[in-house]
Amino acid sequence: MTKDGVNGTAVEMIEGIKNEGFQEEAAENHGGQGEPNTSSLVLSPNREESAYTQIKPYAGMPKEVLLLYSNQVRYRLPRELLFWLTIVSTVGLVALTSAVIAMSPRCLGWWQSSAVYQIYPRSFKDSNNDGIGDLKGIEEKLEHFEYLNIKAVWISPFYKSPMKDFGYDVEDFRDIDPLFGTMQDFENLLASMHSKGLKMIMDYIPNHSSDKHRWFQLSRNRTRGYEDYYIWTDCTPPVPPNNWVSVFGNSSWTYDEVRDQCYLHQFLKGQPDLNFRNPRVREEMTDIIRFWLDKGVDGFRMDAVKHILEAQHLRDEPQVDPNQPPESVDSESDLYHDYTTSQLGLHDILRGWRVEMDKYSREPGRHRFMVTESYDYKEISKTMMYYGTPTVKESDFPFNFYLIDLPNRLSGDGAFDLVNLWMTNMPEGKWPNWVVGNHDKPRITTTAGTEYTRVINMLLLTLPGTPTTYYGEEIGMENVNVSESEIQDPFGKFNPNMSRDPQRSPMQWSAEENAGFSQNKTWLPIHPNYTTVNVESQKSDSGSVLEQYRALSFLRETELPLHRGWTCFVHRDADVFAFVREMDGFPVAFLVVLNFGGDALTDLSGVLELPDELKVRVGTSGREGTLLHKSKIDTKLGEGLVLEYSSNQRLHPGHGSSCFVSEKACYLSALDILYKC
Ligand code: GLC
């Protein structure tokens, strides 16, 4: 088909296309001036429109015809309708998608939704029967975490080490100590953990290396490029350069004959402090982070971070007791550590590592987790700084060690004070966490008394945020007695009262010989109570510490208010600490009543938002299903209750200052979804 343009109005039609109306009209126009032309037609311009409109639309019609048809109402209307419909639905969809995105609360990260379980690898499971735990042993026991519904496991150091501080003195940051296995064993363990949905958190020890580390050997020999890898200064032995003392006691300076200078060690003399003011050291240490992230580890527990930098002027630190004779100053507690801890620049270093880790966190579900270890005791604001600022990220959380102090203040008021301390000091938008024990602190079951084991686990697992469980706490393991002559821990050798051996005894798996940990003499004694306090026996006892731990661990995951709801403190006295976990829109809420004193009857009738009757969902003494009246909640010494109730009344709107929430979300029951509110 050809056309001569609109003005020419000559339209040539493809042969074979019949268009009766068009032909008729054309014949009329020619008005007997010869034969009607069936293959080409010329239309008079002023009749163009009416002529065209008589043509029935057909495929392939010329543009002019098409345009005339398309202007007809019956074509134009549906077309415009469709056009606007498309626009409206596109805009609608974009708006809906944006609204859904804007309304969706953040999903909790893996490090928020599961408890973190700490393994001290020497003591978890011995696979080769040398009396010391190892990586293959951990792999053998992975089903323990599935059983406990734990998805995140932190393993204390397994780097190559002379073991002066049992792995916290690292000889090679890129190698595995043969005591624990090989790099292949590590890779196998990591792969097995990942295949079971478990995350591995490694210990990262930036402050110091071992004196056996290659860098230290090069540095003491003043090898070019390595001279300033550590903190060296002139000294005249036996006089140290200043009064600084090591965390483990005595001067933190040791004279090195090879270099004829003193080097700084804030821990053992076998743990020289790295010099983080040297950019090469910083780069080396960041590279080690990359090395393990490349291998696939999911996060780091960053050791002793407050010690990373020291003042360069090396002035004496002020004495706590100015009248103490300076020559008797030999303990950490004798000095204010103004020049050896929390120095300016520390947070920049940590934030740099965060940036590095974030580069590995981009895939969904692959967030690389960072937790910092720093004991700041009375200076909680210093601890909180490790959370970073609203705009600059640092650790996901700094470990919260305050509950370790609970046995010293064992009461409802004490528990409230320690929990409230963290919640009121934590920066807005951050995620809390709770620790009741670790490899450095006496086991809480021993310090608080076994009668409080269950209620402490209940506190840990019902508070908002991430709980950390030190291996054995799930079965109520206690400190073991280690005679002075058998002390292994260097801290214990300085001061037997400070020995950390008692809390590092082998895990009690069963009532078999050596508690099922090893078939050989174990590196530390096993607690004699292992015949009853062990995983196997407790699995078959529905009322055991282990089974209660497990029930709470599942409850915490499955019940939204416990997982990420509000926490409102409702009661505290000498015996009892009680709080509510609730979520807007969620039909069920929980009242947690914990007894840290003696037998008590708690009257919560003043809490109007609570219904009169509440049902025990989990109890430390097996009262599940029992109905209790809110005016008479009876608990015995060391008893804990998670009470469930249905109500549309929420506490948090009316009790602002006693209520806290992180990762706030509301529940829409009609759609069974969470939304931002
Ligand atoms: C941390 C560790 C502790 C170790 C010290 C030195 O505090 O938890 O066990 O001895 O750092 O690395």
Side-chain angles (χ1 to χ4, degrees):
M1 175 181 79
T2 62
K3 62 180 174 62
D4 293 336
V6 176
N7 293 334
T9 62
V11 178
E12 197 178 300
M13 300 192 57
I14 299 167
E15 245 180 316
I17 295 177
K18 281 207 142 202
N19 197 323
E20 302 303 335
F22 187 54
Q23 282 174 16
E24 279 160 28
E25 181 71 9
E28 262 173 46
N29 282 342
H30 283 269
Q33 294 169 20
E35 292 293 305
N37 187 343
T38 53
S39 62
S40 80
L41 295 162
V42 177
L43 302 175
S44 118
N46 51 4
R47 302 211 53 213
E48 198 175 311
E49 189 167 331
S50 62
Y52 281 145
T53 51
Q54 295 190 32
I55 306 170
K56 285 190 184 146
Y58 59 95
M61 61 188 156
K63 184 179 159 197
E64 299 74 15
V65 183
L66 186 69
L67 282 174
L68 287 173
Y69 274 106
S70 68
N71 280 335
Q72 288 176 10
V73 176
R74 64 181 158 144
Y75 293 112
R76 210 182 61 229
L77 202 69
R79 192 178 65 237
E80 285 180 0
L81 262 175
L82 273 175
F83 171 77
W84 287 112
L85 212 68
T86 312
I87 297 286
V88 169
S89 24
T90 310
V91 172
L93 268 175
V94 171
L96 193 72
T97 313
S98 318
V100 168
I101 293 172
M103 295 295 289
S104 300
R106 247 167 40 97
C107 292
L108 294 191
W110 58 264
W111 53 277
Q112 295 172 298
S113 46
S114 161
V116 171
Y117 187 99
Q118 183 193 352
I119 290 180
Y120 196 65
R122 291 180 77 85
S123 301
F124 196 61
K125 176 74 176 87
D126 175 16
S127 76
N128 60 355
N129 294 319
D130 61 357
I132 299 174
D134 45 51
L135 298 181
K136 275 193 179 149
I138 298 174
E139 198 178 343
E140 279 172 23
K141 290 294 184 186
L142 293 184
E143 100 285 342
H144 186 56
F145 306 118
E146 290 176 304
Y147 187 74
L148 294 175
N149 189 34
I150 280 173
K151 316 254 168 53
V153 180
W154 152 37
I155 311 178
S156 288
F158 43 81
Y159 303 103
K160 186 163 194 285
S161 162
M163 299 290 164
K164 291 278 182 318
D165 190 17
F166 299 120
Y168 282 97
D169 47 328
V170 182
E171 183 176 334
D172 187 344
F173 288 101
R174 290 186 170 81
D175 206 357
I176 310 290
D177 196 274
L179 259 183
F180 296 124
T182 61
M183 188 56 89
Q184 190 59 55
D185 294 337
F186 163 80
E187 283 164 5
N188 293 346
L189 171 62
L190 184 61
S192 297
M193 288 181 68
H194 283 171
S195 72
K196 290 182 156 41
L198 297 168
K199 304 287 187 183
M200 186 201 280
I201 302 162
M202 274 182 74
D203 228 297
Y204 174 71
I205 303 144
N207 179 64
H208 46 265
S209 71
S210 157
D211 58 351
K212 298 286 174 291
H213 196 291
R214 196 180 121 258
W215 298 336
F216 189 75
Q217 296 307 320
L218 294 169
S219 193
R220 74 198 300 211
N221 283 300
R222 297 182 196 260
T223 309
R224 212 152 143 223
Y226 291 89
E227 300 96 323
D228 298 328
Y229 264 48
Y230 295 85
I231 320 270
W232 294 99
T233 193
D234 290 335
C235 61
T236 331
V239 186
N242 61 25
N243 74 345
W244 295 359
V245 287
S246 141
V247 173
F248 292 148
N250 294 329
S251 172
S252 54
W253 295 98
T254 289
Y255 174 69
D256 180 62
E257 279 176 5
V258 177
R259 179 149 162 162
D260 187 24
Q261 273 191 314
C262 279
Y263 65 87
L264 178 76
H265 51 90
Q266 295 213 48
F267 292 89
L268 294 177
K269 68 175 186 192
Q271 294 171 302
D273 270 47
L274 284 158
N275 177 13
F276 270 87
R277 300 197 190 271
N278 179 344
R280 283 194 60 189
V281 169
R282 286 211 296 274
E283 190 43 39
E284 295 260 25
M285 291 308 286
T286 309
D287 218 43
I288 285 155
I289 292 183
R290 291 188 204 109
F291 175 83
W292 293 103
L293 290 176
D294 282 334
K295 288 210 172 278
V297 304
D298 301 286
F300 295 104
R301 173 263 189 191
M302 304 216 156
D303 182 75
V305 287
K306 71 175 179 185
H307 299 278
I308 284 177
L309 289 174
E310 307 65 30
Q312 286 169 292
H313 54 60
L314 306 187
R315 286 205 288 267
D316 278 358
E317 288 190 320
Q319 288 183 202
V320 172
D321 172 6
N323 299 322
Q324 182 179 0
E327 57 287 2
S328 70
V329 166
D330 66 356
S331 296
E332 193 191 12
S333 55
D334 291 340
L335 297 174
Y336 292 113
H337 299 285
D338 294 356
Y339 305 142
T340 52
T341 64
S342 311
Q343 298 297 291
L344 201 68
L346 162 66
H347 292 281
D348 288 337
I349 295 173
L350 293 168
R351 287 164 195 184
W353 289 336
R354 168 89 266 169
V355 168
E356 214 46 48
M357 291 176 68
D358 280 351
K359 292 184 191 156
Y360 288 79
S361 301
R362 290 183 186 137
E363 276 169 65
R366 286 300 272 139
H367 178 77
R368 309 296 176 114
F369 168 68
M370 173 173 168
V371 54
T372 40
E373 184 224 21
S374 178
Y375 290 89
D376 298 298
Y377 300 105
K378 295 208 161 61
E379 298 171 294
I380 192 166
S381 58
K382 283 194 177 165
T383 304
M384 294 301 170
M385 287 186 74
Y386 296 97
Y387 269 120
T389 70
T391 48
V392 187
K393 288 201 279 174
E394 204 168 310
S395 57
D396 290 298
F397 50 71
F399 267 140
N400 170 2
F401 296 123
Y402 288 92
L403 284 180
I404 293 178
D405 200 32
L406 183 58
N408 297 326
R409 337 193 23 195
L410 206 56
S411 62
D413 289 322
F416 164 80
D417 286 344
L418 294 171
V419 171
N420 193 42
L421 179 71
W422 192 268
M423 298 312 285
T424 48
N425 281 283
M426 188 179 72
E428 219 186 301
K430 299 297 178 185
W431 186 252
N433 78 98
W434 313 94
V435 177
V436 295
N438 59 35
H439 62 295
D440 291 327
K441 301 290 168 190
R443 285 192 179 273
I444 198 152
T445 297
T446 301
T447 46
T450 48
E451 60 278 31
Y452 292 104
T453 305
R454 291 159 191 264
V455 74
I456 289 171
N457 275 344
M458 186 172 271
L459 171 72
L460 191 68
L461 292 164
T462 53
L463 282 173
T466 303
T468 296
T469 289
Y470 181 50
Y471 82 95
E473 278 169 8
E474 73 278 29
I475 53 171
M477 269 175 64
E478 294 171 55
N479 274 3
V480 75
N481 279 331
V482 180
S483 66
E484 229 175 292
S485 62
E486 282 176 332
I487 288 180
Q488 309 259 355
D489 177 28
F491 203 4
K493 286 179 182 160
F494 170 74
N495 177 353
N497 292 330
M498 301 302 277
S499 174
R500 297 168 296 176
D501 291 340
Q503 60 264 28
R504 296 176 177 178
S505 69
M507 176 68 178
Q508 295 164 203
W509 291 106
S510 69
E512 283 165 40
E513 207 193 343
N514 293 326
F517 164 78
S518 172
Q519 285 166 21
N520 209 337
K521 185 174 171 2
T522 55
W523 78 284
L524 279 176
I526 290 176
H527 198 288
N529 69 10
Y530 78 92
T531 48
T532 50
V533 179
N534 68 65
V535 174
E536 199 177 82
S537 317
Q538 293 197 7
K539 269 189 184 175
S540 51
D541 170 5
S542 61
S544 65
V545 175
L546 179 74
E547 289 307 298
Q548 181 211 298
Y549 184 101
R550 184 168 183 248
L552 287 169
S553 171
F554 277 100
L555 192 73
R556 187 182 170 276
E557 180 179 308
T558 49
E559 294 293 352
L560 275 169
L562 289 171
H563 201 48
R564 62 186 298 175
W566 285 86
T567 306
C568 292
F569 305 137
V570 292
H571 184 84
R572 50 176 289 197
D573 61 29
D575 302 307
V576 168
F577 170 40
F579 52 89
V580 158
R581 301 297 315 272
E582 62 179 20
M583 179 182 269
D584 287 305
F586 201 79
V588 173
F590 299 89
L591 168 70
V592 184
V593 182
L594 306 168
N595 184 315
F596 295 101
D599 299 359
L601 198 61
T602 306
D603 178 5
L604 294 183
S605 50
V607 186
L608 303 177
E609 294 84 350
L610 290 176
D612 286 347
E613 284 208 321
L614 306 101
K615 191 168 79 187
V616 178
R617 176 76 179 265
V618 179
T620 54
S621 45
R623 294 165 71 188
E624 282 82 2
T626 313
L627 288 179
L628 294 179
H629 198 278
K630 71 170 172 180
S631 62
K632 278 184 274 165
I633 302 175
D634 61 303
T635 47
K636 299 220 171 319
L637 176 153
E639 184 175 359
L641 301 170
V642 178
L643 297 147
E644 183 183 283
Y645 64 93
S646 299
S647 166
N648 293 327
Q649 286 227 57
R650 297 289 160 241
L651 263 92
H652 70 84
H655 298 74
S657 60
S658 325
C659 297
F660 305 87
V661 70
S662 301
E663 304 288 1
K664 186 169 143 201
C666 294
Y667 180 72
L668 185 62
S669 55
L671 297 177
D672 190 19
I673 55 162
L674 286 179
Y675 63 95
K676 233 187 236 168
C677 50

